[in-house]
């Protein structure tokens, strides 16, 4: 009985929290059309998703977006003001939009929670994110990392890597796509689904076979070598310089990626006709469970490490500041005879020969200095604790000193 109840609990877990699907893919892979199809599919099931568009350069979008980067950042103005090209404009636009990620998360949290004022409104169960066609700009930029990590810190997040199936029919282009997918998986550290798009033109069964059957890939590789698909020269040692090298390289990479294939879900879809969409959302459910089981504890661990490092940095800065204040007081040496100028003898004598009452006062001040410094440090730590959740906590001590004047 215990074994039968456990799976049902895990199956209900993803449904209790919306899943964020981030669609990435090379230019021309049909990523935007795929976004349109899954959006229409969810609307047809009366489960409208929350759609986010992160492509600032798109002119016409075939679907409505709840949050659109184009509403916040003018791509053409960014290019003009910063004197940038297309890729630089997209990257800078993403950097500017990343500064608003807290507002995006606040909106998502409001829409994913039940509304007491409007009980009839159903909370959203799916978040769809469209990304720029320049995949490297999103995946390998700092802003892309911020956006993905922020999203994954609040919701189960799945990467959908869209692949142009007809262009992946040769072993070399197939392996290039697999290596790209592998790099994205280990860069984002999020569960991934390989979506072989455009199956209405070419069926994706060959790709699934190559990923699960090593001998089938070897046979296809040998066939490509026999028809000189890798551009090697015929005769002499051309095989070693051309197809022989490529064949050996692809053979080695196929062995290396065997473990990588085991952690992926593979789905063949047609964005034009909508085939395979149900299978895709089944894979999303599986990956959402995988996220909560395997990825979320790792993200929580990394989050705790970042908080611990921030705490250590604050303590280190506090210690350095208190040490600097102490050294500043010690460096204030008393006035000596050599410092006295003509006409200052009376004042200098008063400085060099204080009466006994002044000496007693100085001794009392010296005795009180450690206690005063300790009190100052405790007050600073208390003030720092009160402002720990704000984004300006590094400047809190300066503000505190000004407020005491």
């Amino acid at each position: 009985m215990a074994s039968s109840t456990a799976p049902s609990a895990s199956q209900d877990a993803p449904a209790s929290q919306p899943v964020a699907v981030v669609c990435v893919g090379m230019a021309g892979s049909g990523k935007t059309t795929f976004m349109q199809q899954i959006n229409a599919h969810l609307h047809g099931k009366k489960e409208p998703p929350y759609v986010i568009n992160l492509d600032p350069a798109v002119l016409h979008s075939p679907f409505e977006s709840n949050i659109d980067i184009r509403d916040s950042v003018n791509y053409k103005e960014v290019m003009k003001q910063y004197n940038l090209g297309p890729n630089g404009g997209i990257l800078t636009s993403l950097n500017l939009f990343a500064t608003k990620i807290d507002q995006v998360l606040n909106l998502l949290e409001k829409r994913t929670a039940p509304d007491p004022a409007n009980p009839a409104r159903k909370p959203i169960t799916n978040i769809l994110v469209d990304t720029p066609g320049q995949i490297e700009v999103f995946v390998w930029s700092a802003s892309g990392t911020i956006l993905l990590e922020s999203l994954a810190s609040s919701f189960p997040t799945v990467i959908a890597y869209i692949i142009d199936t007809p262009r992946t029919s040769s072993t070399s282009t197939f392996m290039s796509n697999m290596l790209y997918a592998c790099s994205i998986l280990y860069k984002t550290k999020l569960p991934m689904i390989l979506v072989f798009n455009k199956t209405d033109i070419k069926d994706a069964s060959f790709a699934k076979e190559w990923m699960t059957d090593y001998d089938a890939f070897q046979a296809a590789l040998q066939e490509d070598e026999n028809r000189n698909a890798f551009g090697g020269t015929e005769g002499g040692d051309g095989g070693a310089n051309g197809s022989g090298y490529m064949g050996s390289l692809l053979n080695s990479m196929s062995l290396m990626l065997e473990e990588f294939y085991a952690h992926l879900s593979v789905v063949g879809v047609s964005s034009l006709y909508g085939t395979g969409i149900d299978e895709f959302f089944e894979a999303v459910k599986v990956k959402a469970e995988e996220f909560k089981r395997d990825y979320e504890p790792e993200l929580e661990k990394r989050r705790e490490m970042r908080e611990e490092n921030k705490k250590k940095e604050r303590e280190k800065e506090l210690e350095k500041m208190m040490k600097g204040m102490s050294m500043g007081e010690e460096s204030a040496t008393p006035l000596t005879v050599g410092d006295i100028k003509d006409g200052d003898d009376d004042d200098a004598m008063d400085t060099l020969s204080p009466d006994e009452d002044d000496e007693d006062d100085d001794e009392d001040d010296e005795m009180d200095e450690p206690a005063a410094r300790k009190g100052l440090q405790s007050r600073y730590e208390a003030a720092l604790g009160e402002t720990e959740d704000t984004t300006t906590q590094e400047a809190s001590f300066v503000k505190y000193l000004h407020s005491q004047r």
Side-chain angles (χ1 to χ4, degrees):
M1 293 295 292
S3 60
S4 61
T5 57
S8 61
S10 63
Q11 290 172 0
D12 293 337
S16 62
Q17 194 173 12
V19 181
V21 179
V22 182
C23 297
V24 299
M26 295 184 184
S29 60
K31 176 169 52 60
T32 301
T33 310
F34 174 75
M35 276 282 298
Q36 179 190 17
Q37 188 62 243
I38 60 177
N39 183 32
H41 177 82
L42 291 172
H43 275 280
K45 295 179 65 176
K46 307 300 182 183
E47 298 177 1
Y50 203 83
V51 182
I52 302 175
N53 173 46
L54 295 180
D55 189 354
V58 64
L59 296 177
H60 303 287
S61 179
F63 51 85
E64 292 292 332
S65 300
N66 300 93
I67 298 177
D68 198 325
I69 188 175
R70 296 175 297 175
D71 296 335
S72 303
V73 183
N74 190 321
Y75 167 68
K76 291 185 177 180
E77 281 298 318
V78 168
M79 291 177 60
K80 185 186 300 182
Q81 291 185 15
Y82 294 96
N83 194 24
L84 299 171
N87 289 342
I90 292 174
L91 179 58
T92 305
S93 298
L94 281 171
N95 290 340
L96 293 171
F97 186 78
T99 62
K100 301 177 180 292
I101 187 61
D102 56 333
Q103 300 176 30
V104 174
L105 292 179
N106 287 336
L107 289 172
L108 290 174
E109 288 171 359
K110 288 179 181 178
R111 286 295 289 112
T112 55
D115 187 2
N118 186 12
R121 191 188 71 175
K122 294 175 59 178
I124 61 172
T125 57
N126 290 280
I127 302 169
L128 306 181
V129 183
D130 193 17
T131 60
Q134 290 79 353
I135 184 173
E136 65 281 354
V137 171
F138 178 78
V139 175
W140 295 101
S141 66
S143 56
T145 302
I146 292 171
L147 292 167
L148 281 177
E149 289 189 353
S150 300
L151 197 61
S153 66
S154 301
F155 308 99
T157 305
V158 178
I159 300 292
Y161 181 60
I162 317 301
I163 300 174
D164 189 341
T165 306
R167 295 184 180 178
T168 317
S169 56
S170 69
T171 53
S172 57
T173 55
F174 170 81
M175 191 56 62
S176 298
N177 267 288
M178 294 302 102
L179 289 174
Y180 217 131
C182 181
S183 66
I184 293 172
L185 176 67
Y186 289 106
K187 177 65 170 63
T188 61
K189 296 181 176 63
L190 294 171
M192 176 182 287
I193 302 173
L194 293 185
V195 181
F196 284 89
N197 196 13
K198 305 181 184 180
T199 54
D200 53 294
I201 300 175
K202 184 173 181 60
D203 190 74
S205 57
F206 73 94
K208 297 179 181 179
E209 185 180 18
W210 288 354
M211 295 176 67
T212 56
D213 189 345
Y214 176 76
D215 293 332
F217 181 78
Q218 290 300 307
L221 182 60
Q222 185 63 44
E223 182 180 347
D224 285 348
E225 286 183 332
N226 292 339
R227 60 187 179 89
N228 201 26
F230 303 131
T233 57
E234 296 182 1
D237 60 350
N241 293 331
S243 61
Y245 170 77
M246 280 295 296
S248 177
L249 177 63
L250 295 175
N251 183 34
S252 301
M253 288 191 293
S254 65
L255 289 171
M256 178 194 70
L257 293 176
E258 186 175 359
E259 182 66 21
F260 165 69
Y261 295 150
H263 296 84
L264 296 177
S265 294
V266 183
V267 180
V269 302
S270 171
S271 297
L272 183 61
Y273 297 108
T275 57
I277 300 299
D278 287 326
E279 185 182 355
F280 169 75
F281 279 105
E282 287 297 324
V284 168
K285 291 181 181 179
V286 173
K287 288 302 177 182
E289 295 177 3
E290 183 180 323
F291 177 91
K292 298 181 72 68
R293 183 182 66 249
D294 300 331
Y295 289 82
E296 195 170 38
E298 180 65 21
L299 290 173
E300 186 64 30
K301 182 179 178 181
R302 286 157 53 191
R303 192 181 302 117
E304 292 175 356
M305 289 177 62
R306 285 197 299 269
E307 291 298 324
E308 185 66 23
N309 290 336
K310 288 181 182 178
K311 184 178 179 181
K312 290 180 180 179
E313 284 296 324
R314 289 195 295 267
E315 293 175 352
K316 185 178 179 180
E317 289 297 324
L318 174 61
E319 182 180 353
K320 185 188 299 183
M321 181 195 64
M322 299 304 296
K323 185 177 180 181
M325 292 174 62
S326 177
M327 291 179 64
E329 293 172 357
E330 293 175 358
S331 63
T333 56
L335 189 64
T336 62
V337 176
D339 297 322
I340 303 172
K341 297 180 181 179
D342 295 339
D344 293 335
D345 295 74
D346 294 337
D347 295 336
M349 290 303 295
D350 291 339
T351 305
L352 293 173
S353 302
D355 55 25
E356 294 180 358
D357 292 336
D358 291 336
E359 289 179 356
D360 293 339
D361 293 339
D362 292 342
E363 290 176 0
D364 292 340
D365 292 340
E366 290 176 0
M367 292 295 293
D368 292 338
E369 281 179 5
R373 190 179 301 113
K374 185 175 180 180
L376 177 63
Q377 179 173 351
S378 62
R379 291 197 300 273
Y380 170 66
E381 290 176 345
L384 182 64
E386 293 174 358
T387 60
E388 188 173 2
D389 295 332
T390 67
T391 58
T392 58
Q393 61 185 9
E394 290 79 6
S396 59
F397 180 67
V398 179
K399 295 179 181 178
Y400 173 77
L401 287 181
H402 285 299
S403 66
Q404 298 299 313
R405 292 180 179 177

